[in-house]
Amino acid sequence: MVTPKVEIKKLNAWYGDFHVLRNITLSIMPNTVTAVMGPSGCGKTTLIRTINRLSSLVPEFRSTGIILIDKEDIFHSDMDVYKLRKEVGFVFQKPNPFPLSIYDNVAYGPRTHGIRNQNELDEIVRDSLQRAALWEEVGHRLEEPALKLSGGQQQRLCIARALAVNPRILLMDEPVSHLDPISAQKIEDLILTLKKTLTVIIVTHNVQQALRVSDMAAFLYLGELVEYEKTAHMAEAPKDSRTEAFLTGRFG
């Protein structure tokens, strides 16, 4: 029997007095793409930011419940949060490359973790850019500023930067919302490739995108997990009227 990569049990979360997540329980299997869907303000981003404890950086944030990654409790007092965020990468909604060269963006994480050997760094940079489907476009100009890349290239560079530290899980918060259709297609194709070696969790408000890239879909509404099902099954026969209303565009 396959062990879940991520297990979330009775997760509640607050920003101050605002109860943003309510009793979320779900299991995410390895080497799958899970789409977290729902209207704006339903708690999608907070959910994935809690999986690598990015939400904890907000002073007024607090949570209860359990999140296990490979059966390890991320809230345990012995948890190394720095190591957690290395193993659970995050790609933000808007591309955010560092004001450095293309090479130094990708090498930044490995250097931070103590890798100094130039040959090893070269190999990591090349491999990460290849995995992010960017090597053929930038491999001949690695010393150029990353900020000169197009928006789509910058986002794939950010994915390469996340991959460079060899994460087990990749969290993506609406990673194509600021991109043109051609760039978005490249990211979607990349997601399908990445799940061969990673577990991917993607926030999206785009139902068609969820159908194209995800195996499982979680529908959140007002902080509650309304439905969690295989994406195709949810699209064909949603079990809850709120899910159906969202999928058919009646709100969201």
Side-chain angles (χ1 to χ4, degrees), residues 54-107:
L54 275 179
S55 293
S56 301
L57 297 173
V58 179
E60 63 267 26
F61 178 83
R62 61 187 175 92
S63 65
T64 60
I66 296 171
I67 298 179
L68 304 177
I69 294 178
D70 290 327
K71 296 188 175 180
E72 187 175 11
D73 182 358
I74 73 163
F75 296 123
H76 194 278
S77 58
D78 292 337
M79 171 58 64
D80 182 343
V81 178
Y82 188 62
K83 178 173 176 282
L84 173 68
R85 293 180 187 142
K86 171 181 177 290
E87 297 184 345
V88 185
F90 200 100
V91 177
F92 292 87
Q93 186 176 46
K94 187 176 180 180
N96 62 336
F98 301 142
L100 304 169
S101 70
I102 295 167
Y103 184 100
D104 287 340
N105 263 268
V106 183

Side-chain angles (χ1 to χ4, degrees), residues 193-217:
T193 300
L194 288 175
K195 78 171 184 177
K196 297 174 184 176
T197 54
L198 292 170
T199 300
V200 181
I201 305 171
I202 177 173
V203 165
T204 181
H205 64 271
N206 187 322
V207 175
Q208 292 305 312
Q209 181 183 76
L211 282 168
R212 288 192 296 268
V213 304
S214 68
D215 305 288
M216 300 291 295

Side-chain angles (χ1 to χ4, degrees), residues 176-203:
V176 305
S177 62
H178 290 276
L179 304 183
D180 62 89
I182 294 174
S183 297
Q185 180 65 57
K186 289 181 178 180
I187 299 287
E188 289 185 7
D189 291 343
L190 175 57
I191 290 169
L192 294 173
T193 300
L194 288 175
K195 78 171 184 177
K196 297 174 184 176
T197 54
L198 292 170
T199 300
V200 181
I201 305 171
I202 177 173
V203 165

Side-chain angles (χ1 to χ4, degrees), residues 168-181:
R168 293 179 281 171
I169 297 166
L170 189 61
L171 310 172
M172 310 180 84
D173 187 6
E174 299 200 45
V176 305
S177 62
H178 290 276
L179 304 183
D180 62 89

Side-chain angles (χ1 to χ4, degrees), residues 13-15 18-22 41-43 46 61 222-224:
W14 294 263
Y15 289 111
F18 178 53
H19 197 172
V20 63
L21 294 175
R22 300 172 180 269
C42 71
T46 298
F61 178 83
L222 297 178
E224 296 182 4

